[in-house]
Amino acid sequence: MIKHIGILGGTFDPVHNGHIRCAHYVQQHCALDEVRLMPCHLPAHRATPGVSSEQRAAMVQLAISQYPQLKLERLELNKPSASYTADSLQLLSTQEPGSRFYFIIGMDSLCYFRSWKNWPDILKLAHLLVCQRPGYSQQDGDAPALLQQFGVTDLATMRQRPSGCIMLLANPLADISASQIRRQLQQQQSAAKTLDPAVLNYIQTQQLYQA
């Protein structure tokens, strides 16, 4: 029996309601067995997060506690070097040969996907599920060429293949960014609308994101 697993990577610095809504929507809409949130230890394309890997993982665990189909994937947390998606998917595929992986990205990432390290290998190891993001279109950047070559429009076609498909999703838009939340917290503004109450309590207890 093939297990269908979604992977949502990121720094989750901090994990916010937009991340959780996206993961839950993809899991439900695409009928995946589970979606794993995979915090990276050292991101390859941005500054090192201001809080530790374990603190970010703890926040993810708190945020997903009400969603049985959402899991924490710890694969990259103890990695001493920068995390690259192709390497992580290769490890997961080796560890779980009976699973099929669906890597979840935003439209903003699809627009520059061909600049990712070993991007063709990602498509050999997984399907791509692309969530809409405010301000980005399938007409931008790398998206048109990638969709022409790898795009599919229905779940049935994608599920028949082991990997290599890109499918756009019509998810509800959430204009939330972790950087904006960090600024609010540093300025002691309320972030209650964008963070799970348990995550907000953890941030306050641990005194994270203070100016």
Side-chain angles (χ1 to χ4, degrees):
M1 188 75 153
I2 294 172
K3 193 172 184 181
H4 297 270
I5 299 172
I7 303 288
L8 178 62
T11 48
F12 302 114
D13 188 26
V15 62
H16 55 65
N17 292 344
H19 295 132
I20 303 306
R21 285 181 200 144
C22 172
H24 184 245
Y25 168 84
V26 172
Q27 186 271 319
Q28 295 278 301
H29 180 76
C30 299
L32 301 180
D33 293 299
E34 62 188 48
V35 168
R36 300 179 191 169
L37 282 74
M38 183 170 69
C40 62
H41 172 52
L42 293 172
H45 303 294
R46 53 158 285 191
T48 302
V51 301
S52 73
S53 303
E54 285 303 327
Q55 287 170 321
R56 290 183 288 116
M59 288 188 279
V60 168
Q61 193 66 67
L62 289 167
I64 64 177
S65 61
Q66 305 300 315
Y67 300 89
Q69 285 84 23
L70 302 187
K71 313 286 184 185
L72 170 65
E73 174 54 70
R74 299 183 59 88
L75 180 76
E76 295 184 348
L77 286 174
N78 300 317
K79 200 174 177 194
S81 56
S83 301
Y84 292 100
T85 299
D87 297 341
S88 297
L89 286 171
Q90 182 63 66
L91 270 173
L92 287 169
S93 299
T94 303
Q95 291 171 5
E96 302 175 52
S99 296
R100 193 165 290 175
F101 294 99
Y102 301 75
F103 195 71
I104 303 161
I105 62 172
M107 182 63 78
D108 52 332
S109 294
L110 186 68
C111 292
Y112 71 91
F113 186 70
R114 290 189 294 191
S115 69
W116 287 30
K117 184 181 179 185
N118 298 334
W119 70 266
D121 290 344
I122 296 172
L123 283 165
K124 289 175 186 171
L125 295 161
H127 296 301
L128 282 189
L129 296 173
V130 183
C131 291
Q132 304 301 316
R133 290 289 303 273
Y136 295 91
S137 157
Q138 67 192 72
Q139 310 302 325
D140 299 335
D142 293 339
L146 288 168
L147 289 169
Q148 184 175 10
Q149 187 174 358
F150 302 105
V152 297
T153 56
D154 65 289
L155 281 166
T157 300
M158 184 172 63
R159 288 174 81 96
Q160 286 170 4
R161 301 176 189 172
S163 62
C165 296
I166 301 177
M167 190 167 117
L168 304 184
L169 302 179
N171 56 292
L173 291 177
D175 197 4
I176 306 173
S177 77
S179 57
Q180 181 182 4
I181 292 169
R182 290 196 300 273
R183 282 194 298 272
Q184 288 176 330
L185 293 166
Q186 286 165 359
Q187 294 165 9
Q188 297 187 325
Q189 298 172 359
S190 174
K193 291 182 179 178
T194 52
L195 295 175
D196 182 280
V199 172
L200 183 56
N201 181 63
Y202 180 89
I203 288 170
Q204 292 168 340
T205 304
Q206 298 281 319
Q207 299 183 324
L208 306 179
Y209 306 113
Q210 297 189 346

